Amino acid sequence: MADAQTAQPDIPRRDFLYIATGAFGAVGTAAALWPFINQMNPAANVRALAKTEVDVSAIEEGMAIKTIWQSKPVFVKRLTAAEIAEAEKVDVATLRDKQTVAERMPVKRGWLVNLGVCTHLGCVPLGAGQGEPKGDYGGFFCPCHGSHYDPLGRIRRGPAPLNLEIPPYTFKSDTVIEIG
Ligand code: FES
């Protein structure tokens, strides 16, 4: 009976071994790559965390709540008519980060949704919780280095360069906001 060497007389035994090793190597590499590629597809629970739903039905005018979106604190605040009127009196040209009232509440007038992350070095500002200091402009105050934000989260004094960031969000209904 013919063995592998006699069946393929033109391929020396050493070359045959190289070819066989190469084939196993390719299979091995593909198998090793699969878990790596699979890790690059976010798991269902990670995809779910990409969006956060918040029930805002209990938030009365003048109140705010803190929530978490993608591991970051988010403040959801319902402004009073007086706060909005006061904010509209501010000359936008005088602001460090020039945003109008409408730009700060792009989805629904009266509702502010912004990250609770100071734009200086990332501390969590105070002002969304009951009894917390709101700073000299009645909005949010970052105690780390003294940044003062107004009720619309616009930087007014201190080292922070920008207004508090507004994440993507929509109202799914009158009482539910979806962030993300
Ligand atoms: S981190 Fe907020 S003022 Fe520095």
Side-chain angles (χ1 to χ4, degrees), residues 108-167:
K108 196 174 198 178
R109 187 176 169 85
W111 288 90
L112 173 74
V113 179
N114 60 212
L115 299 189
V117 178
C118 181
T119 60
H120 179 221
L121 293 175
C123 288
V124 178
L126 301 170
Q130 239 185 348
E132 290 181 358
K134 295 177 187 297
D136 292 351
Y137 293 83
F140 306 98
F141 172 66
C142 182
C144 289
H145 313 95
S147 284
H148 297 254
Y149 297 86
D150 71 13
L152 287 166
R154 297 183 295 191
I155 182 64
R156 303 296 291 275
R157 188 190 311 147
L162 298 169
N163 301 334
L164 295 176
E165 184 183 341
I166 298 176

Side-chain angles (χ1 to χ4, degrees), residues 4 8 11-28:
Q8 299 173 12
I11 302 178
R13 182 171 172 74
R14 209 177 45 193
D15 287 355
F16 174 77
L17 284 174
Y18 283 158
I19 291 164
T21 308
F24 280 119
V27 170

Side-chain angles (χ1 to χ4, degrees), residues 4-6 10 13 31 42 46 49 57 71 93 97 102 124 127 135 139-140 147 152 156 164 168 178-180:
Q5 231 176 341
T6 54
D10 296 338
R13 182 171 172 74
V46 174
L49 286 176
S57 58
S71 308
D97 184 7
V124 178
F140 306 98
S147 284
L152 287 166
R156 303 296 291 275
L164 295 176
E178 183 180 76
I179 306 169

Side-chain angles (χ1 to χ4, degrees), residues 58-70:
I59 305 178
E60 294 171 10
E61 279 192 13
M63 278 178 58
I65 61 159
K66 301 173 189 179
T67 186
I68 299 283
W69 169 67
Q70 292 188 347

